[in-house]
Amino acid sequence: MDIVWKGMLGGLVTALIVWLSKRGNVLPGILPLAPTFAVIALLAVGAKGNPAGFREACLAGFKTIPAYLAFLGACWLFIDTVDYRLAVAGGIAVWLVAALAIFLAPRYL
């Protein structure tokens, strides 16, 4: 049952983003700032009853902010030269490289 309400929350946020996109461009762009997925992840980690694990999940979330900014920056740069779907795909590729660099680079330094 725990997974069901998390799925419903994610679906509601997705529906809200689509609905708001029909009414303008700014709100759908800022709605992902609502920490929906972070809340779900932290509730799942917190349910284990391990404060150290909770803190570790929070720190991992902090580390994702540069990758998200790289994704948005790439989308913003690519949109002038390619279709919006390719711009998003390019943004995902940049996000993946940034995320891998953030999480794997410390192991090799």
Side-chain angles (χ1 to χ4, degrees):
M1 192 64 177
D2 197 36
I3 292 175
V4 172
W5 77 263
K6 291 172 186 172
M8 289 173 54
L9 180 61
L12 287 172
V13 171
T14 301
L16 185 59
I17 291 170
V18 171
W19 180 70
L20 288 172
S21 71
K22 295 178 181 179
R23 285 157 177 65
N25 297 324
V26 175
L27 283 176
I30 63 174
L31 191 61
L33 284 175
T36 308
F37 298 111
V39 168
I40 292 169
L42 291 175
L43 287 174
V45 171
K48 295 178 183 178
N50 180 359
F54 190 87
R55 284 189 199 96
E56 187 178 354
C58 289
L59 288 175
F62 282 132
K63 290 179 182 179
T64 64
I65 293 170
Y68 180 61
L69 292 174
F71 164 76
L72 291 175
C75 288
W76 187 78
L77 289 171
F78 293 153
I79 196 60
D80 287 333
T81 57
V82 297
D83 180 69
Y84 74 94
R85 290 172 287 237
L86 289 174
V88 171
I92 291 170
V94 169
W95 171 86
L96 181 60
V97 169
L100 288 173
I102 288 167
F103 287 99
L104 294 181
R107 293 181 183 182
Y108 300 106
L109 294 178

